[in-house]
Amino acid sequence: MIVSIMVVIGFGPEWILSADTGASMVDLSCTLVCIVISFSFLLPFLTDCGIMEFFGVILRPVVHPLFRVPGRASVDLIASWFGASNAAAILTRERA
């Protein structure tokens, strides 16, 4: 955060303020903050509204022959691949 503030203000050594380090870091951090905020709003839809269960049912004919897992495990598998690790842990805990 200190380096980001230094880049925005324009205070600090050249190796921090250059376009190769400081500017690219600020651009990347803005993108990451947007992704984290949007996924934090999408997590309740994944866990509470049944979107992961929907994907699990749709993809069950593909997942079962490939991995030889029972039907409910396909939901956990899909949650692990497409959702956040927290979503997979919450879905697994609720299934048990």
Side-chain angles (χ1 to χ4, degrees), residues 52-84:
M52 275 300 150
E53 284 84 2
F54 174 73
F55 286 132
V57 170
I58 296 293
L59 294 174
R60 186 175 297 157
V62 175
V63 171
H64 181 69
L66 286 175
F67 299 106
R68 305 280 184 206
V69 294
R72 293 215 165 206
S74 66
V75 174
D76 289 335
L77 183 68
I78 299 302
S80 298
W81 281 350
F82 294 115

Side-chain angles (χ1 to χ4, degrees), residues 7-95:
V7 170
V8 170
I9 292 174
F11 175 76
E14 181 60 33
W15 60 273
I16 290 179
L17 299 178
S18 70
D20 294 332
T21 55
S24 63
M25 185 190 72
V26 171
D27 290 339
L28 180 64
S29 65
C30 292
T31 304
L32 290 176
V33 166
C34 292
I35 290 171
V36 167
I37 289 173
S38 63
F39 280 155
S40 67
F41 286 114
L42 290 176
L43 185 62
F45 291 114
L46 293 175
T47 57
D48 298 335
C49 295
I51 292 177
M52 275 300 150
E53 284 84 2
F54 174 73
F55 286 132
V57 170
I58 296 293
L59 294 174
R60 186 175 297 157
V62 175
V63 171
H64 181 69
L66 286 175
F67 299 106
R68 305 280 184 206
V69 294
R72 293 215 165 206
S74 66
V75 174
D76 289 335
L77 183 68
I78 299 302
S80 298
W81 281 350
F82 294 115
S85 60
N86 293 338
I90 290 169
L91 284 172
T92 304
R93 185 185 71 214
E94 289 177 1
R95 298 278 180 211

